[in-house]
């Protein structure tokens, strides 16, 4: 992390020009840093290139985390001739160009592998891939009927007081229900277990932010200043798809997998004073 305090000379610059000058970057490269939302002005995440800086402003520039290879042997949580359940690392998209899906196709030498659902680029955890078109359609049908149980682990800002509560606020006109359970509460921070009954885009991030408990590292829905310096350094949203359970469409057997907490998630639990609780029974 690099931190600068603006002098009278600097205060005439836009944020884009300031970053380019201080880091000796082209404006294109400086704009890429802004687009990645790793810049804070006065402890508030800021990505507007034309933002006019003022004397005394504090500008923090946080560097990116280098991603490990996406497909590792211990990342395969379940595998048969129909499905793969994989623990996705953060900092990689689910499908498309340079995605977890494309890497799995190379790893297994099988171009039929297809993601059944998606996780955000910076969300880690369990995700289901179909090995063929029919398997894809069968699993998609389970998702449509909300027959996939999805449990997430989340670190949020704020001291959550209730041990359990529900959030039932529509998202883009569609009903969205999120069940929350407190695992551990610290000073201005909480570790939560979250179950979503519906699968709306960014549901957990939107619901928790609207309840006053934004996800640590959240870059879109948390617009308030972040006083805690360590929280500003978190390189991605601390949201992890912890468990997935479903009845296998072909065998009729229950499949339940757990994606262990990634190293960065465990590290921030420790650094922020939240010791790891015993995993909940499912």
């Amino acid at each position: 992390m690099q931190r600068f305090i603006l002098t009278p000379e600097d205060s005439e610059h836009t944020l884009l020009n300031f970053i380019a000058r201080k880091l000796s970057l082209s404006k294109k490269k400086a704009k890429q840093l802004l687009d990645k939302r790793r810049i804070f002005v006065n402890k508030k995440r800021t990505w507007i290139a034309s933002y006019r800086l003022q004397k005394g402003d504090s500008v923090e520039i946080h560097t990116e985390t280098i991603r490990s290879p996406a497909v590792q042997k211990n990342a395969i949580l379940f595998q048969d001739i129909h499905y793969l359940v994989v623990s996705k690392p953060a900092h990689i998209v689910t499908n498309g160009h340079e995605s977890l899906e494309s890497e799995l196709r190379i790893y297994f030498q099988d171009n039929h592998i297809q993601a059944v659902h998606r996780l955000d680029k910076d969300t880690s955890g369990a995700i289901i891939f179909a090995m063929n078109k029919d398997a894809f359609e069968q699993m998609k049908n389970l998702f449509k009927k909300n027959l996939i149980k999805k449990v997430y682990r989340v670190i949020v800002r704020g001291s959550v007081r209730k041990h359990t509560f529900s959030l039932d606020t529509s998202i883009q006109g569609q009903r969205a229900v999120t069940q929350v359970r407190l695992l551990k509460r610290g000073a201005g921070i909480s570790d939560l277990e979250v179950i979503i009954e519906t699968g709306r885009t960014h549901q957990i991030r939107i619901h928790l932010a609207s309840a006053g408990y934004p996800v640590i590292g959240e870059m879109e829905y948390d617009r308030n200043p972040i006083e805690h310096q360590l929280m500003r350094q978190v390189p991605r949203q601390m949201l992890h798809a912890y468990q997935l359970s479903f009845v296998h469409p072909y065998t009729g057997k229950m499949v339940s997998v757990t994606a262990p907490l990634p190293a960065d998630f465990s590290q921030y639990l420790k650094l922020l004073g939240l010791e790891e609780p015993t995993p909940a029974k499912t």
Side-chain angles (χ1 to χ4, degrees):
M1 185 268 287
Q2 298 183 68
R3 184 169 180 263
F4 304 96
I5 301 296
L6 270 74
T7 65
E9 179 184 346
D10 294 323
S11 63
E12 298 301 318
H13 289 278
T14 62
L15 184 56
L16 176 67
N17 290 340
F18 179 79
I19 293 170
R21 187 169 67 85
K22 284 293 184 182
L23 301 185
S24 299
L25 298 174
S26 67
K27 288 187 179 180
K28 182 179 179 180
K29 291 287 186 181
K31 181 63 166 58
Q32 288 174 353
L33 272 178
L34 285 169
D35 290 342
K36 290 173 182 175
R37 304 193 178 194
R38 301 294 295 138
I39 312 296
F40 290 82
V41 178
N42 300 329
K43 304 177 183 178
K44 186 174 181 179
R45 199 182 301 276
T46 308
W47 57 89
I48 306 301
S50 59
Y51 183 90
R52 182 66 63 174
L53 295 168
Q54 299 179 14
K55 178 184 176 181
D57 279 349
S58 169
V59 177
E60 292 179 10
I61 303 170
H62 295 263
T63 56
E64 290 188 282
T65 299
I66 298 174
R67 179 177 65 82
S68 300
V71 183
Q72 301 182 51
K73 190 173 182 179
N74 62 358
I76 309 300
L77 306 175
F78 174 85
Q79 180 181 0
D80 67 7
I81 62 172
H82 306 288
Y83 300 105
L84 282 170
V85 184
V86 180
S87 183
K88 184 183 93 66
H91 312 298
I92 186 171
V93 295
T94 299
N95 54 7
H97 182 60
E98 295 185 349
S99 65
L100 178 56
E101 182 183 84
S102 64
E103 292 198 22
L104 285 169
R105 288 177 175 181
I106 294 170
Y107 185 83
F108 287 99
Q109 297 185 358
D110 186 348
N111 286 329
H112 295 99
I113 294 173
Q114 184 176 3
V116 180
H117 59 123
R118 288 185 293 179
L119 293 176
D120 293 336
K121 179 180 179 180
D122 289 333
T123 296
S124 57
I127 187 166
I128 304 171
F129 291 84
M131 303 299 286
N132 55 68
K133 184 171 178 57
D134 185 69
F136 176 86
E137 295 299 336
Q138 293 283 351
M139 187 60 69
K140 214 47 169 166
N141 190 45
L142 293 186
F143 272 96
K144 288 178 181 178
K145 294 179 178 179
N146 293 323
L147 295 177
I148 312 291
K149 183 180 179 182
K150 294 169 282 187
V151 181
Y152 291 78
R153 289 286 300 276
V154 196
I155 308 175
V156 299
R157 282 208 286 155
S159 296
V160 176
R161 294 298 170 185
K162 294 182 180 179
H163 285 286
T164 60
F165 60 96
S166 297
L167 299 169
D168 187 349
T169 306
S170 64
I171 295 174
Q172 294 185 340
Q174 294 182 304
R175 186 167 183 257
V177 181
T178 303
Q179 305 291 345
V180 183
R181 184 167 79 92
L182 175 65
L183 297 177
K184 182 78 174 181
R185 179 176 58 237
I189 190 166
S190 303
D191 180 17
L192 308 177
E193 177 185 89
V194 173
I195 297 175
I196 54 173
E197 296 182 10
T198 52
R200 310 305 177 202
T201 301
H202 299 173
Q203 178 175 323
I204 294 174
R205 294 159 59 192
I206 292 172
H207 269 179
L208 289 175
S210 66
Y213 306 116
V215 178
I216 297 287
E218 156 61 36
M219 298 184 185
E220 190 164 349
Y221 303 105
D222 182 11
R223 303 297 176 86
N224 296 317
I226 302 173
E227 297 296 333
H228 198 303
Q229 183 175 339
L230 181 57
M231 292 186 193
R232 295 197 300 275
Q233 293 175 0
V234 176
R236 60 105 172 178
Q237 59 210 25
M238 288 292 107
L239 179 57
H240 178 69
Y242 186 56
Q243 294 175 329
L244 270 177
S245 302
F246 59 91
V247 175
H248 197 295
Y250 295 94
T251 68
K253 295 180 179 180
M254 175 63 71
V255 175
S256 183
V257 300
T258 298
L261 295 180
D264 63 343
F265 197 105
S266 296
Q267 177 189 30
Y268 281 106
L269 281 176
K270 182 177 180 180
L271 290 173
L272 294 166
L274 296 171
E275 54 186 61
E276 172 62 7
T278 301
K281 294 181 180 180
T282 58

